[in-house]
Structure formats: C-alpha cells, structure tokens
Amino acid sequence: MSDPIIKIQNMNKWFGDFQVLKNINLEVEANKKIVVCGPSGSGKSTLIRCINRLEEHQEGDIIVDGNELSEKTKDIEKIRAEVGMVFQQFNLFPHLSILDNCTLAPIWVKKMPKKEAQELALDQLKKVQIDDQANKFPGQLSGGQQQRCAIARALCMQPKIMLFDEPTSALDPEMIKEVLDAMVNLAKGGMTMIVVTHEMGFAKEVADEVIFMDEGMIIEKADTKEFFANPKSDRTKLFLSQIL
Amino acid sequence: MQTLNFLKPNRDNIKNYSIIGSFLVLVSLIDVISNAFLKINLTSFLPGSLTTLFPLIIGLIGLNMMRIDYSGNKKLDLLNKNINTNNFNALLTLVILFSIIKALPQSLSWMIFDATISGDSKDACTGTGACWTYIKVWFRRFMYGMYPNEFHWRINTAFILVIALGFVGYFMKENLKKYLALYYVIIYPVIAYLVIYYLISGGSFGLQWVETGAWGGLSLTFIVSFFCLIFCFPLGMIFALGRRSNLPAIKYISICYIEFWRGVPLITVLFMSSVMFPMFLPEDFFMDKLVRVIIAITLFEAAYCAEVIRGGLQSLPRGQYDAAKSLGMGYWKMHIFVILPQALKLVIPGIANTFLALVKDTPLIFVVGLAELAGMLALAKTNPKWLGFAMEGYIFASIVFWIICYAMSKYSYNLEAKYKTER
C-alpha cells in the first residue's frame, strides 16, 4: 500500500463553542476518488475546506502530500497551489474574462510565461468544452458553463488533488449533467478527487469509496458497492432511503 | 371632493378634458408670466386676495381635469406620473413653477440686463445690477493670487505639463500597461511635484523664486486638491486593508488612525499643522506651510477614503477570497488581482463623493493664511476701493466650484459605466 496523499488524524474543529468536526480520521491514497455525502450541516464542506486550510482546525493533524497543515506552515500558498478546489457558487472572478480567470494564477503564482499559460488554459477549456467562450465574461455564461470554467481554472494549476464542494447544488437540473460529465472525464484521467455531493449516480459511477457524515462525525466509510448494497449503520440506511 | 366629481376625467372623455385642462393651466401660466414680466395684472377685476390665488386655483382645476391613471398618451401619462399624482403634488408643482417665474425677472435683470462689465474701476458700476467689472478687474488675482503678473505663464505651463503627464496612461504601450498603477501612484506625483516646484516656485534655471505665500486663487485650489487627491487615495487604501488585517497591531493602528482623523474637525487640523507642528520639529528643519497643509488635508481625507474603500471590500462575497486562496495566491496577489479591482469599482461613487467634499474643503486653508479662490474673494471684498461687491464674488466662486465639481462627478459616472461588470 502506497503512502496516502491526504492523511487526517484525530482532527477536531470548533466554530466558537460549537464542535463541527469530531475526531475525523481519513486517509486518501493517490488517484482515489472519494465521495462525501450526508445531510446539511453535517460538516462535509468544512472537512474539505480544512484540507486546503480555508478553515483552520484546532486539534489533530492534517497532512497533505507530506506537508503538515498548522499555524506553523509557512508555504500554505504552495500547498494550496497543489490542491484545486471547485465551489458551490463557482466563485469565478467577474471582472476577468474566462481565459484570464484561467491564466491568472498560473501566471502570477506559478510564474508561467503568458503564452504558455494561455495555451494551457485553452487546452483545459477545450476539455470542458467551453473554449469557444474564452473571451466572454463570467456574467455572460450559464451556470453550468461557469462551473465548468471553474473546474478548468482549478486544473490550470495542474493540481495533484481536486476538491469539489457541492459543485452541482446551485445548478438547474439540465446543467448538472454537463458538469458531472466534466467531472467523470477528470476522474477517468486518474485525478485524486474528494467530492462533496448529493449526486448518488455520480458516486456509483466513479467513486472508489463513499463517506457518510452526520453531526460532524464520519459515520460510515466503505467501498462504493458495499456502501450502497448493504450500509451498516441505521443512520446511513435512513439517509439512503430518503435520497435514492 | 364629491362635488368635484364632474371634474374627474374617464377614459372616454379624457381627450376633451385634457384639452380643457391644459387650457386652464395655460391661462394660469399666462397670468403669472404677464404679472411677473410685464407687470400687468390680468385679473384686477377680482377682489383682493383672490387676484393672487387666481392662477393657483385655475391651474389646480386644470391639472385635476387631466389626472387619470392611464390614458395611453405617453406625454400625458408621464406628466401625471411625475408631477400630477394627486392634488397636493399638483399644488407643489404649481407653487414651484410660479415661484421660479416670479423670481426670474429680478434675477435676470440683476445678473444680465442691468449689470455692468465695462470700465476698470468701481466708478463704472452705477447701475442697479451686478458689477461684473469687479470680477473682470480682479480676475487675475482670483486665478493666480498674489503671484507676480509677469510670471503667470509659469503656472499655466506647469498645469499644462501636469495634465499632459496625466494622460500618459492612455498612450502607453500594451506591454507597459502593468506598470500603470505604479506610474500613477508613485512616479506621477513625484514628477508633478518636481514640475510644480521648479516652475511655480522657481529658484533655479534662471526662474525667480516666488514663495508659496504669494500663491493663491484658483491655481492654488487646483494644486492643493491635486496633491491631496492623488496621495489620499493610496493612503486610504492601505488603511482600509490594514483595518481588515488579521494582525492585531496593524489592525488597531489602522483603527486608531481612522477614528482619530475622522474625529477631529479639519479646521483644527489645519491650525495644528501651521502653528503646533513646527514646534515639534528640530530648529534647522524647515517645511513649507503649503506642504504642511497638503500633508494635513491628505492625512485627514485618507481616513474618509479608507472607510469608503473598506465598505467596498466588505461588499465582496467571501467566495472571491476563497477562490483566490484556493488557487495559491498569497495576501498581496489576492488583493491586487482579485479583491481590489472589484472593490474599487464598487466604491467609485463613494470616492467621488469624498473627492468632491475635499475640493470644496480647500477654502478652509484660508485660516492659515493661504488664499485660494474663496480666500482671494474674502481679501478682495475687504479692499477699500472695492467695497460692497461680495455678492458678485460669491456668485462667481459658486459657478467656478460648481463647474469643477460637476466635471468631476461626470467623470466618475463615466468611470462607473466603463468598469461596469455583470455579476
């Protein structure tokens, strides 16, 4: 068994007095696809936001690609550059064109020459099939197109890990498919992915493991087939019976 | 109002009613106009107070007859929606309209028809109207202050140079565009300072030294406003970011700075800068009064700018910060490329507001003995040879300030339109 690329040990996190994450233990190996599901407020988003330290944890260790995340971590930017993230609300930069959204970070963070960055960006945009929209602004695109652009933007940094925080929850049903297709293609390419989603179809298709969370705890962690075929805990059974 | 029901139009008779209504309004207008301009009282046959109220009553009935929810006639609907929604609004419309008409003849004859502009001494002004001769004679003083007449070309040249340098950004080559901010924030102010120092102050290159005490008039207004505007904006930006910083020391320094300068009146700040400040300086250290005043106003206005910019920073959704961070951008890259471009766009109206206030605050420097446009006016009106023309002077100053401020606000609208983005 190879060394896990993400390793979380006994992690606890509080928002003020409220404990959002309780004793989280998680190991993710390279090239694995993990789907995290669970009811609202169960701490799924907080968990993956901790992985690139958009949220700080108070106890326990998080080790990403050999780097431990803590207040002492100096080059947090370097680690974040290795960990791409896609958000529920897309969070494109509205004052920049689609192409500039994709090239901004490669040029200024990775010091890539402008021309090379643009070629890379167009390549990534082509993979999510919006290269024809490259000169438009985010406000002129549909939600699905914006989210695909957000995926391309994250991929332009050539990350080792991709985090998805409910990428389809803010989309019309019609647009969900185009975004999921882009994610499935990415998964087939061998990317390490952690996906918070309610799309169980997607989970069945690509996930290696499914994690079920409730009230800040990991209730169940199992292989995808196992998870859907015979869930162990009652809470998981109840959840699955409601959303399937 | 039941009895007035027959005066209410409906969709069938609106055409006739609006014709009669507009005729009645027209009659009331004719009555007021002839009264004001020709001094003829068309309704002298009516008893006492009815004569004065006659146009109001007739106009009200007219407007009442034209009032309908929807007529299909665009102009009529526009009129009803804007100035004729109910009887009270109709009354207000008429009162304002009539007041303007009544005030017009006097003000026009004072400002234009009976006014004097010929001659070059007070004796030319014998009429009852305004004495624009006063403005004409003092014009150079109002523009250049006590600056020697033969050197006025130096001020003009300096201004033309500074303005021309300001347009450099428009003609910059594409590959130099990224240094634009650097140019405007650091290089441009320095060059402008040098231009103004060497041309207007003089003292070298064979130009005679003119001390800042002699500067004045509108040119001084421009100099003070110009430097305060370009310095207070970046300074305000720094304090706005500082106030949102995670580092307690920077945060509290920024808060103290902002709250201190917002808490004291500008006039005391100006006094301090000219009276108290030199006491704290070493004996042999000399700083010109004008420079001290510019620094004082800059520090003062920077606090206001900071709060306006902070408002813009706060209105950005947290997702923008998250996205920038998740792409590996550090604090400065995130702010320079993602946060500030969006936030500054949002605060254009607020910044324009602050800048307008700044320009209109410059007359306060009179308290430390610097006479810009309004200050020169105050000096001129106490000149024994030209007593009694304060009115003309202040009207002139108001018009000049209005033109400057209106131009600035127009420019800010243009900027807003230019940088508008869809969310």
Side-chain angles (χ1 to χ4, degrees), chain B residues 147 151 153-162 193-205 207-208 210 215:
Chain B
Y147 205 85
F151 298 142
W153 65 269
R154 278 159 57 176
I155 296 184
N156 296 340
T157 323
F159 279 1
I160 291 168
L161 268 176
V162 167
Y193 176 81
L194 292 177
V195 165
I196 286 175
Y197 180 81
Y198 281 111
L199 263 170
I200 303 185
S201 267
S204 46
F205 301 120
L207 296 173
Q208 195 188 317
V210 181
W215 301 15

Side-chain angles (χ1 to χ4, degrees), chain A residues 152-203:
Chain A
R153 178 178 71 176
L155 289 176
C156 281
M157 288 297 285
Q158 294 161 320
K160 291 182 178 166
I161 304 162
M162 283 286 282
L163 307 174
F164 291 84
D165 186 2
E166 303 200 26
T168 55
S169 302
L171 295 174
D172 286 345
E174 279 185 322
M175 293 169 183
I176 290 178
K177 191 175 174 299
E178 59 189 54
V179 171
L180 288 181
D181 284 349
M183 288 165 65
V184 169
N185 283 337
L186 183 62
K188 282 177 184 158
M191 176 64 74
T192 311
M193 292 163 74
I194 301 183
V195 183
V196 172
T197 187
H198 298 296
E199 296 295 326
M200 288 304 129
F202 173 78

Side-chain angles (χ1 to χ4, degrees), chain A residues 95, chain B residues 341 345-346 348 413-422:
Chain A
H95 62 300
Chain B
K345 217 177 286 181
L346 290 169
I348 290 173
Y413 292 142
N414 284 349
L415 278 184
E416 253 178 87
K418 188 174 161 193
Y419 292 118
K420 199 176 157 201
T421 39
E422 290 174 61

Side-chain angles (χ1 to χ4, degrees), chain A residues 6-21:
Chain A
I6 300 171
K7 196 170 175 183
I8 302 176
Q9 284 176 327
N10 302 325
M11 194 256 278
N12 287 298
K13 173 166 177 58
W14 287 265
F15 282 138
D17 290 336
F18 178 69
Q19 188 169 7
V20 270
L21 293 175

Side-chain angles (χ1 to χ4, degrees), chain B residues 297-319:
Chain B
I297 299 180
T298 304
L299 295 178
F300 182 85
E301 295 291 341
Y304 286 88
C305 277
E307 286 298 274
V308 172
I309 295 170
R310 193 169 67 96
L313 290 172
Q314 269 173 346
S315 65
L316 288 189
R318 197 178 75 157

Side-chain angles (χ1 to χ4, degrees), chain B residues 57 81 92 109 134 142 191 229 274 340 343 365 373:
Chain B
I57 295 165
K81 211 167 126 190
L92 277 186
S109 57
Y134 166 74
F142 290 155
I191 298 179
L229 291 187
S274 77
L340 285 175
I365 64 174
L373 178 56

Side-chain angles (χ1 to χ4, degrees), chain A residues 10-225:
Chain A
N10 302 325
M11 194 256 278
N12 287 298
K13 173 166 177 58
W14 287 265
F15 282 138
D17 290 336
F18 178 69
Q19 188 169 7
V20 270
L21 293 175
K22 296 169 192 163
N23 198 26
I24 302 287
N25 285 290
L26 180 66
E27 290 189 359
V28 180
E29 284 166 44
N31 304 335
K32 293 281 183 197
K33 289 99 188 110
I34 312 286
V35 163
V36 184
C37 60
S40 312
S42 58
K44 316 178 292 283
S45 293
T46 313
L47 172 62
I48 71 163
R49 286 168 66 87
C50 281
I51 294 173
N52 66 356
R53 211 169 163 74
L54 287 179
E55 300 284 356
E56 294 171 16
H57 60 286
Q58 280 88 23
E59 275 177 17
D61 305 319
I62 301 179
I63 299 162
V64 176
D65 197 22
N67 303 293
E68 188 179 344
L69 304 185
S70 68
E71 292 102 62
K72 289 174 203 142
T73 316
K74 283 206 185 93
D75 281 344
I76 186 68
E77 282 86 30
K78 253 187 194 150
I79 299 168
R80 281 177 180 155
E82 308 266 285
V83 183
M85 185 156 185
V86 175
F87 301 87
Q88 182 177 1
Q89 298 295 343
F90 329 136
N91 294 347
L92 294 178
F93 306 133
H95 62 300
L96 297 175
S97 71
I98 296 301
L99 188 62
D100 290 341
N101 261 284
C102 294
T103 57
L104 183 69
I107 290 174
W108 293 102
V109 178
K110 288 189 117 180
K111 314 279 179 209
M112 201 182 271
K114 195 174 176 186
K115 210 157 196 178
E116 197 182 318
Q118 281 179 344
E119 277 165 20
L120 173 69
L122 281 173
D123 196 40
Q124 294 294 353
L125 287 171
K126 197 165 196 144
K127 279 184 188 159
V128 292
Q129 295 164 9
I130 44 167
D131 50 324
D132 51 336
Q133 314 279 348
N135 292 318
K136 286 194 183 167
F137 283 86
Q140 298 165 316
L141 265 56
S142 74
Q145 288 172 324
Q146 288 192 47
Q147 190 62 297
R148 282 184 283 155
C149 169
I151 294 173
R153 178 178 71 176
L155 289 176
C156 281
M157 288 297 285
Q158 294 161 320
K160 291 182 178 166
I161 304 162
M162 283 286 282
L163 307 174
F164 291 84
D165 186 2
E166 303 200 26
T168 55
S169 302
L171 295 174
D172 286 345
E174 279 185 322
M175 293 169 183
I176 290 178
K177 191 175 174 299
E178 59 189 54
V179 171
L180 288 181
D181 284 349
M183 288 165 65
V184 169
N185 283 337
L186 183 62
K188 282 177 184 158
M191 176 64 74
T192 311
M193 292 163 74
I194 301 183
V195 183
V196 172
T197 187
H198 298 296
E199 296 295 326
M200 288 304 129
F202 173 78
K204 280 177 185 165
E205 191 179 343
V206 301
D208 296 309
E209 274 185 327
V210 180
I211 291 171
F212 176 72
M213 285 183 74
D214 191 22
E215 294 177 345
M217 287 177 286
I218 294 182
I219 304 281
E220 188 152 353
K221 175 172 182 283
D223 282 353
T224 311
K225 273 184 189 161

